[in-house]
């Protein structure tokens, strides 16, 4: 019994990894010009396939995977199907960071990213201290604090919109749509490693999520340390979101919708639907991004602008009809 | 053996639980009775390790509750809430299996499911079962946890007579090998199956008796008349007919 379930577990991961690799690989072929899959490692195609497309495709996969896992974890933790990775205001804080960078005219790529990351981390720390995450039944309070923070940050940005120039306004709107086209390969790799490690740590909490979902009393009396659990979900989820927001800006929709699709596919065992969520999210974003890079060439369509455009009709369709 | 000394817990300004001394033996059924809002559930939550904000001392086999980690507590005391509302429609099997969390792995639940009369419905969604079935699922879950002590909050709430009798039998059987502490509103049932009954009122322990409590004691506890039916006290429902 134990052995066969381990085997099926390995098969499950191998199949998912294989599909993901194929999709990522296909993503390198398509774009402004088609490169045959057999020619990708040809030195002539080095710049286009590996320097330009690879960072973007890889980041796309991590955005989809990371945000979906965080979305699933937050929906479970808050016991709220509408929760998403940005519910605690991380994206709003990051946007303020972007604005601060613009105001002080910081041109250095890394310095401006550092500012964005610092702002998101500050908002995470703030929530951590004012909400008492470790206490029981704080879900609603946390969400409301997040809503409050989001409005606050939006307000800061709106006021600045009016005061600042048009170019500034356009830049911030573009930022909100999410953009992966300017990513360097090195950044994309670093981002992928961090997002992957944190996502694996979240996915490994599947068994605890199964218990948590049964209610606080049942979970705690069965041996789950609720405050530790909350802390881990909060920190891992926030760090993934902060990293993604720093490098790829704010990309909505995926983190709220993919978890629901994963639940429709695999049911309510979190040891299964967490990893499915990761792979499905990653694959979905790479597919959407690849399609847009190919169809709209040479225009660059920001990723965040199209995820919902393509994803929403699909989502409504499976809610109505099933898969 | 569970021992309570100088237990004090307050909930806002209006309610406090205050028990000087209570000793609970190793096996059998101890029923906690008393009016609504008297502190039964609060006491149970403390005994289940779910409420740690009390002062005083609660020990299990001479070990302080405060020193138990979550896993230690889960290996000693299982808790059955009045009702469970999982966020997602898991199956009966999944809910029962969650009792095995602390020792991990896929426990074999077929024997316990059988004992609780659930073997036919383990694949059903818990959104499809009745409240009587849910009670038994929660009892099965607690049995899977393999603890020497089970704390039950109102195991007889919302049950029809058929399930009342079924669950009385089940609890009686379990109480032969484990300690069960249960909050019970139905005094007649409590009197029939308990080894020991503790009465609580306004957060204070009024009595603890191993024999059937008299009608006078119960009237003092609840403020309503009791009569004896087959040697067991029952509220005097008939007084309302005249």
């Amino acid at each position: 019994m134990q052995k066969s379930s381990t085997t099926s577990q390995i098969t499950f991961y191998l199949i998912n990894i294989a599909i993901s690799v194929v999709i990522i690989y296909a993503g390198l072929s398509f774009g402004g010009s088609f490169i045959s899959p057999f020619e990708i490692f040809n030195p002539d195609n080095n710049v286009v396939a590996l320097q330009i497309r690879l960072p973007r495709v890889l980041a796309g996969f991590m955005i989809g995977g990371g945000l979906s896992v965080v979305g699933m974890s937050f929906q479970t933790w808050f016991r709220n199907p509408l929760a998403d990775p940005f519910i605690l205001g991380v994206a709003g804080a990051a946007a303020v960071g972007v604005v601060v960078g613009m105001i002080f005219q910081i041109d250095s790529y890394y310095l401006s990213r550092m500012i964005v990351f610092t702002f998101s981390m500050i908002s995470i720390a703030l929530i951590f201290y004012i909400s008492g995450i470790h206490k029981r039944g704080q879900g609603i309070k946390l969400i409301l604090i997040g809503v409050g923070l989001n409005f606050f940050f939006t307000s800061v940005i709106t006021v600045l919109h009016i005061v600042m120039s048009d170019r500034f306004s356009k830049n911030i709107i573009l930022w909100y749509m999410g953009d992966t086209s300017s990513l360097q390969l090195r950044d994309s790799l670093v981002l992928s490693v961090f997002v992957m490690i944190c996502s694996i740590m979240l996915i490994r909490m599947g068994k605890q999520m199964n218990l948590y979902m049964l209610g606080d009393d049942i979970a705690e009396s069965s041996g789950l340390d609720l405050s530790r659990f909350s802390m881990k979900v909060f920190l891992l989820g926030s760090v993934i979101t902060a990293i993604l927001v720093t490098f790829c800006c704010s990309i909505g929709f995926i983190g709220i919708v993919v978890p629901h699709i994963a639940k429709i596919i695999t049911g309510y065992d979190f040891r299964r639907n967490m990893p499915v969520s990761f792979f499905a999210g990653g694959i979905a974003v790479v597919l959407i991004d690849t399609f847009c890079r190919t169809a709209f060439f040479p225009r660059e369509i920001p990723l965040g602008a199209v995820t919902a455009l393509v994803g929403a009709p699909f989502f409504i369709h499976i809610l109505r009809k099933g898969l | 053996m569970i021992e309570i000394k100088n237990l004090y817990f307050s909930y806002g300004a209006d309610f406090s639980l205050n028990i000087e001394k209570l000793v609970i033996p190793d096996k059998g059924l101890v029923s906690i009775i008393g009016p609504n809002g008297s502190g039964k559930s609060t006491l149970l939550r403390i005994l289940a390790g779910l409420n740690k904000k009390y002062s005083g001392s609660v020990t299990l086999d001479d070990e302080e509750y405060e020193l138990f980690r979550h896993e230690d507590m889960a290996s000693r005391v299982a808790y059955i809430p009045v009702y469970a509302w999982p966020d997602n429609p898991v199956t009966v099997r999944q809910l029962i299996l969650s009792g095995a969390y602390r020792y991990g792995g896929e426990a074999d639940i077929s024997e316990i499911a059988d004992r609780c009369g659930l073997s036919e419905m383990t694949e059903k969604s818990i959104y499809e079962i009745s409240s009587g079935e849910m009670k038994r699922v929660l009892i099965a879950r607690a049995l899977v946890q393999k603890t020497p002590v089970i704390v039950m909050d109102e195991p007889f709430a919302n049950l029809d007579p058929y399930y009342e009798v079924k669950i009385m039998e089940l609890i009686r059987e379990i109480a032969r090998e484990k300690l069960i502490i249960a909050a019970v509103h139905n005094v007649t049932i409590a009197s029939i199956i308990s080894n020991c009954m503790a009465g609580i009122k306004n957060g204070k322990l009024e009595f603890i008796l191993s024999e059937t409590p008299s009608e006078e004691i119960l009237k003092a506890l609840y403020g309503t008349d009791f009569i004896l039916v087959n040697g067991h006290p029952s509220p005097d429902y008939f007084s309302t007919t005249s």
Side-chain angles (χ1 to χ4, degrees):
Chain A
M1 175 84 186
Q2 198 65 43
K3 199 179 170 198
S4 75
S5 80
T6 317
T7 320
S8 77
Q9 190 91 342
I10 292 171
T11 323
F12 164 78
Y13 276 100
L14 283 180
I15 291 172
N16 274 301
I17 291 170
I19 298 174
S20 305
V21 169
V22 169
I23 300 276
I24 288 176
Y25 200 74
L28 301 181
S29 283
F30 291 94
S33 62
F34 178 76
I35 300 172
S36 153
F38 306 105
E39 299 284 319
I40 280 175
F41 291 103
N42 185 329
D44 294 345
N45 298 323
N46 186 24
V47 172
V48 174
L50 299 184
Q51 299 296 326
I52 297 177
R53 286 182 193 168
L54 182 60
R56 182 165 174 171
V57 171
L58 208 55
F61 190 85
M62 289 303 151
I63 290 167
L67 292 182
S68 302
V69 166
V70 176
M72 179 75 96
S73 311
F74 279 10
Q75 285 171 12
T76 311
W77 179 39
F78 288 125
R79 308 187 190 286
N80 186 330
L82 294 177
D84 82 343
F86 306 116
I87 197 164
L88 293 176
V90 175
V96 173
V98 172
V99 173
V100 168
M102 287 177 187
I103 291 174
F104 290 100
Q105 294 181 330
I106 289 160
D107 293 328
S108 153
Y109 178 80
Y110 286 103
L111 190 56
S112 61
R113 296 292 126 145
M114 277 285 282
I115 294 173
V116 176
F117 190 70
T118 311
F119 266 81
S120 8
M121 292 314 277
I122 288 174
S123 100
I124 293 169
L126 213 74
I127 289 175
F128 190 85
Y129 284 109
I130 54 183
S131 67
I133 272 159
H134 49 287
K135 286 187 212 131
R136 232 158 195 281
Q138 294 294 298
I140 296 291
K141 193 171 151 197
L142 260 177
I143 291 181
L144 292 176
I145 289 174
V147 169
L149 279 177
N150 267 323
F151 272 110
F152 175 76
F153 293 134
T154 312
S155 182
V156 169
I157 290 164
T158 315
V159 168
L160 289 167
H161 260 306
I162 296 163
V163 182
M164 305 287 283
S165 69
D166 288 350
R167 193 179 71 86
F168 167 87
S169 296
K170 191 178 177 199
N171 277 344
I172 198 78
I173 288 171
L174 276 178
W175 183 85
Y176 260 112
M177 293 184 173
D179 184 15
T180 49
S181 53
S182 57
L183 267 183
Q184 301 292 310
L185 182 58
R186 196 180 50 185
D187 301 338
S188 183
L189 286 173
V190 170
L191 167 161
S192 301
V193 169
F194 275 107
V195 170
M196 211 137 70
I197 292 172
C198 293
S199 298
I200 290 172
M201 287 169 82
L202 271 179
I203 289 170
R204 285 173 56 92
M205 294 176 72
K207 201 180 149 193
Q208 297 174 36
M209 300 221 175
N210 278 344
L211 192 59
Y212 179 82
M213 181 189 65
L214 302 176
D216 282 359
D217 284 347
I218 288 190
E220 195 174 0
S221 66
S222 307
L224 182 68
D225 185 338
L226 285 179
S227 49
R228 231 183 104 107
F229 172 85
S230 301
M231 211 105 99
K232 263 173 93 175
V233 173
F234 169 73
L235 287 177
L236 287 170
S238 301
V239 167
I240 293 175
T241 313
I243 293 173
L244 288 172
V245 162
T246 301
F247 283 104
C248 314
C249 318
S250 161
I251 292 171
F253 188 71
I254 292 290
I256 192 166
V257 161
V258 173
H260 290 291
I261 296 176
K263 278 183 213 163
I264 292 171
I265 300 172
T266 53
Y268 298 99
D269 186 342
F270 286 83
R271 288 169 301 181
R272 271 292 157 99
N273 63 26
M274 290 279 283
V276 163
S277 194
F278 180 80
F279 289 114
I283 290 167
V285 170
V286 172
L287 285 179
I288 293 173
D289 184 42
T290 303
F291 170 76
C292 292
R293 276 188 295 124
T294 313
F296 297 109
F297 185 81
R299 287 211 74 104
E300 285 286 356
I301 305 284
L303 191 47
V306 286
T307 45
L309 197 67
V310 182
F314 172 72
F315 180 55
I316 291 167
H317 173 76
I318 64 165
L319 276 184
R320 276 168 52 91
K321 300 274 163 73
L323 269 183
Chain B
M1 191 174 73
I2 293 180
E3 213 173 339
I4 293 176
K5 271 185 211 148
N6 299 322
L7 174 69
Y8 178 82
F9 170 79
S10 76
Y11 191 79
D14 296 334
F15 175 78
S16 65
L17 182 72
N18 199 339
I19 295 179
E20 270 174 34
K21 193 170 164 61
L22 176 62
V23 179
I24 301 172
D26 266 338
K27 280 197 178 71
L29 170 64
V30 177
S31 294
I32 316 273
I33 60 171
N36 289 119
S38 58
K40 299 188 295 297
S41 293
T42 308
L43 177 59
L44 288 187
R45 293 180 67 83
I46 289 173
L47 290 174
L50 292 172
N51 180 347
K52 300 191 181 85
K53 288 174 192 146
Y54 58 85
S55 64
S57 141
V58 182
T59 59
L60 173 58
D61 296 332
D62 298 325
E63 287 180 275
E64 273 295 337
Y65 263 43
E66 280 176 345
L67 303 176
F68 289 141
R69 289 170 305 156
H70 283 80
E71 309 88 270
D72 302 330
M73 201 70 235
S75 68
R76 288 168 170 87
V77 184
Y79 174 75
I80 302 181
V82 183
Y83 209 81
W85 294 106
D87 301 334
N88 292 319
V90 293
T91 61
V92 167
R93 170 187 299 283
Q94 278 172 292
L95 183 51
I96 295 178
L97 256 179
S98 68
Y101 175 79
R102 68 170 183 89
Y103 55 85
E106 306 278 302
D108 184 13
I109 61 157
S110 54
E111 196 194 315
I112 286 169
D114 201 37
R115 193 173 164 190
C116 300
L118 297 166
S119 36
E120 303 286 297
M121 60 181 80
T122 50
E123 298 313 318
K124 264 195 186 174
S125 154
I126 53 137
Y127 286 6
E128 294 168 21
I129 64 176
S130 71
S131 48
E133 287 161 346
M134 179 54 111
K135 290 279 179 198
R136 288 189 293 167
V137 171
L138 291 174
I139 292 175
R141 209 194 83 85
L143 289 175
V144 168
Q145 206 171 326
K146 293 185 183 156
T147 55
V149 183
I150 301 179
V151 170
M152 302 183 181
D153 201 351
E154 297 190 30
F156 299 103
N158 303 319
L159 295 182
D160 65 21
Y162 173 82
Y163 279 122
E164 272 181 350
V165 174
K166 282 279 164 204
I167 289 184
M168 280 171 79
E169 285 166 355
L170 188 57
I171 287 180
R172 203 172 215 175
E173 194 191 306
I174 299 167
R176 278 193 207 113
E177 52 204 62
K178 294 174 190 279
L179 169 64
I180 299 182
I181 306 168
V184 182
H185 272 304
N186 189 321
V187 179
T188 317
I189 292 181
S191 164
I192 294 168
I193 60 173
S194 307
N195 301 81
C196 186
M197 288 168 79
I200 294 188
K201 191 177 184 179
N202 297 329
K204 301 237 173 358
L205 184 67
E206 297 285 313
F207 59 82
I208 175 154
L209 295 168
S210 45
E211 70 271 18
T212 307
S214 68
E215 300 97 301
E216 290 74 32
I217 287 180
L218 290 172
K219 180 165 187 183
L221 188 67
Y222 286 101
T224 186
D225 287 328
F226 281 80
I227 54 168
L228 284 184
V229 180
N230 282 345
H232 293 287
S234 159
D236 187 5
Y237 299 121
F238 305 101
S239 64
T240 58
T241 56
S242 54

